[in-house]
């Protein structure tokens, strides 16, 4: 079908990488969801219990009309303490083009400057016709939120997203410039103006809701370099890596090398790996999450109500750089580089802004130490093309990295060892003209962080698995059908002195089956589609289990267990 009917159109226009795809935290990005994604239904209170709808609903239409249920996800709302709260509006804008919203943030008054929780909430609305778009929000140069947008109905939709942003407390204690952009194109055809409002709600200390350890400082890169406080004892880099921009890196998992006859090419095929280096030395590796945007897989009818995992709350990749703390604590700027393995040299389409979270030793002005080990295995990246009436590309990729180091703190010498193992397998097959196009792929990202020297040895093991299994077909009568399943899974176990202290299991699974007539005006598509999401999260902190089901844009089931 010459696939680009459109797999997704986050960009809508072609702009150069220098315009909006820089690596620094202040870079804008063009248009185009591990533990607790926080997109909430716009028609349901974030703290209200989920309800059950008998299904299918009596008024479910035979096909999609001009309106449908507002977008929502099955992910849990952010837990909030029952303490005094203060809300601050940080951005309120209508996005029609690529002009960023700029404003000023002032810390709240009346809730102190030590908060038990800080919650970001985006409320948006749009009507008419529009592509999916990618956006970011910076405060004081720090990227605190990255998101994409739903595609609207002619009659209009509203949606909301919540995110726990307590870890950026250091940024919120100071006033600073605000910059937000959801790059958009509005013309006679694409009429949807994105009307959004973002608020931060600060909850005073107290209450039963616990927050993870909050860093003392949140830093950004300055001209690609990082200067840490000299008493840093733990350092974590966050990279909001997204492949987007309307080109082939928007769906990098489908690219093929020469000589395979396919419309999206990459020199070595679809394997991608996001690497971070310190002064040119490899310091972290990770699998990027294969986000499917709300126009993805050539079929927007899959996403009108339920987006794919993480699409509304794009999570950063985290790299524990603590083994490098002794090196970084010399008071000098150090070069930090982020790159994406597998991207052709001349290809644009990845944005990799960096935030750095730092925990300091309050009893020492200088924490010395040393990097003692950097051991990288050989990077595997092999794609095998098999020609035939059904073309096929089989890909195997992977990498291993171990880093270790120590810091001499006021509470003794502390050793940190980080081990990370990546693996990817995929089978991509398609027919002539790409009238049938299918992919089955799995990505795993295993990480073990061992901390030795402050009491019993602490170990945190994280096993991440991402899956994609889908097929798009275009029949002779131009009926296009997509059947797709996406998975976002994570298992986390923490031990202290060999005894398990906390654990969690996440399984966020999306399934969809949608059909419409391609190459006709919108009102002649006669689209039908069913979608569902089940979000399960359970462990030492309890359990959460919610199921959503839709048909032709109507919510037919909303059930919570546990």
């Amino acid at each position: 079908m010459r696939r680009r009917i459109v797999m997704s159109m986050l960009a809508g226009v072609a702009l150069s990488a220098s315009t909006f795809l820089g690596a620094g935290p202040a870079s804008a990005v063009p248009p185009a969801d591990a533990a607790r994604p926080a997109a909430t239904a716009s028609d349901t209170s974030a703290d209200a219990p989920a309800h059950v709808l008998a299904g299918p609903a009596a008024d479910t239409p035979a096909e999609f009309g001009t309106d449908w249920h507002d977008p929502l996800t099955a992910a849990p709302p952010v837990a909030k303490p029952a303490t005094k709260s203060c809300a601050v509006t940080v951005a309120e804008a209508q996005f029609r083009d690529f002009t960023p919203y700029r404003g000023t943030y002032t810390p709240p008054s009346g809730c102190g400057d030590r908060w038990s929780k800080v919650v970001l909430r985006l409320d948006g609305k749009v009507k008419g016709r529009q592509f999916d778009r990618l956006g970011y929000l910076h405060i004081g140069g720090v990227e605190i939120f990255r998101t994409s947008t739903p595609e609207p109905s002619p009659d209009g939709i509203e949606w909301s997203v919540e995110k726990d942003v307590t870890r950026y407390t250091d940024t919120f204690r100071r006033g600073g410039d605000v910059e937000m952009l959801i790059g958009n194109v509005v013309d006679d055809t694409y009429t949807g103006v994105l009307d959004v409002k973002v608020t931060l709600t600060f909850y005073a200390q107290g209450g039963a809701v616990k927050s993870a350890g909050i860093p003392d400082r949140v830093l950004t890169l300055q001209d690609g370099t990082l200067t840490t406080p000299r008493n840093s004892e733990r350092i974590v880099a966050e990279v909001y890596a997204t492949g987007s921009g309307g080109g082939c890196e928007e769906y990098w998992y489908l690219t093929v090398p020469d000589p395979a006859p396919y419309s999206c090419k990459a020199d070595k095929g679809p394997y991608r790996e996001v690497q971070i280096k310190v002064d040119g030395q490899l310091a972290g590796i990770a699998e990027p999450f294969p986000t499917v945007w709300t126009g993805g897989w050539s079929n927007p009818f899959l996403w009108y109500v339920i987006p794919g995992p993480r699409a509304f709350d794009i999570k950063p990749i985290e790299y524990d750089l603590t083994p490098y703390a002794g090196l970084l604590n010399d008071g000098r700027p150090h070069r930090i580089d982020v790159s994406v393995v597998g991207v052709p040299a001349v290809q644009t389409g990845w944005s990799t802004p960096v935030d750095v979270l730092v925990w300091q030793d309050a009893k020492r002005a200088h924490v010395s130490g040393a990097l003692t080990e950097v051991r990288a295995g050989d990077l595997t990246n092999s794609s095998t093309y098999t020609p035939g009436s059904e073309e096929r590309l089989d890909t195997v990729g992977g990498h291993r990295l171990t880093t270790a180091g120590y810091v001499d703190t006021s509470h003794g010498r502390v050793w940190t060892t980080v081990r990370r193992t990546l693996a990817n397998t995929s089978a991509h097959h398609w027919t002539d003209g790409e009238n049938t196009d299918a992919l089955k792929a799995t990505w795993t990202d295993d990480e073990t962080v061992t901390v030795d020297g402050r009491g019993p040895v602490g170990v945190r093991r994280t096993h991440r698995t991402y899956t994609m299994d889908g097929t798009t077909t275009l029949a002779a009568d131009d009926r296009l059908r997509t059947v797709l399943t996406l998975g976002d899974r994570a298992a986390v176990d923490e031990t202290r002195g060999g005894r398990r202290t906390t654990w969690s299991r996440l399984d966020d699974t999306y399934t969809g089956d949608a059909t419409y007539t391609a190459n006709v005006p919108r009102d002649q598509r006669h689209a039908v589609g069913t979608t569902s999401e089940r979000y399960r999260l359970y462990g030492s902190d309890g359990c959460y289990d919610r199921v959503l089901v839709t048909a032709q844009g109507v919510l037919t089931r909303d059930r919570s267990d546990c």
Side-chain angles (χ1 to χ4, degrees), residues 264-278:
C264 263
K265 296 297 186 77
D267 296 340
K268 294 186 177 181
Y271 181 73
R272 298 292 180 270
E273 175 181 310
V274 185
Q275 298 185 347
I276 189 167
K277 293 180 180 180
V278 176

Side-chain angles (χ1 to χ4, degrees), residues 34 143 146 163 167-168 236-243 252 272-276 283-291 310 313-321 338-341 350-357 420 422 445 447 464 466:
E143 180 145 338
R146 179 164 288 214
K163 179 183 179 180
R167 63 184 178 273
Y168 303 120
V236 174
E238 293 185 334
V239 178
Y240 283 89
T242 48
W252 47 269
R272 298 292 180 270
E273 175 181 310
V274 185
Q275 298 185 347
I276 189 167
I285 60 176
E287 295 279 12
F289 185 77
T291 311
R310 305 196 194 190
D313 180 10
I314 299 166
K315 299 187 176 307
I317 296 171
E318 294 185 0
Y319 301 91
D320 196 323
L321 300 183
V338 177
S339 60
V340 183
V341 171
W350 280 86
S351 177
T352 56
V354 182
D355 298 332
V356 180
L357 314 182
R420 203 147 182 175
L422 314 180
D445 186 332
E447 181 181 27
R464 308 171 183 89
Y466 316 136

Side-chain angles (χ1 to χ4, degrees), residues 230-297:
R230 300 200 68 194
N231 61 346
S232 303
E233 57 177 323
R234 183 183 177 211
I235 302 172
V236 174
E238 293 185 334
V239 178
Y240 283 89
T242 48
S244 60
C248 288
E249 288 304 304
E250 189 172 311
Y251 24 87
W252 47 269
Y253 39 79
L254 283 167
T255 59
V256 307
D258 287 328
Y262 191 76
S263 54
C264 263
K265 296 297 186 77
D267 296 340
K268 294 186 177 181
Y271 181 73
R272 298 292 180 270
E273 175 181 310
V274 185
Q275 298 185 347
I276 189 167
K277 293 180 180 180
V278 176
D279 293 334
Q281 191 166 34
L282 189 61
I285 60 176
E287 295 279 12
F289 185 77
T291 311
V292 180
W293 315 110
T294 60
W297 278 75

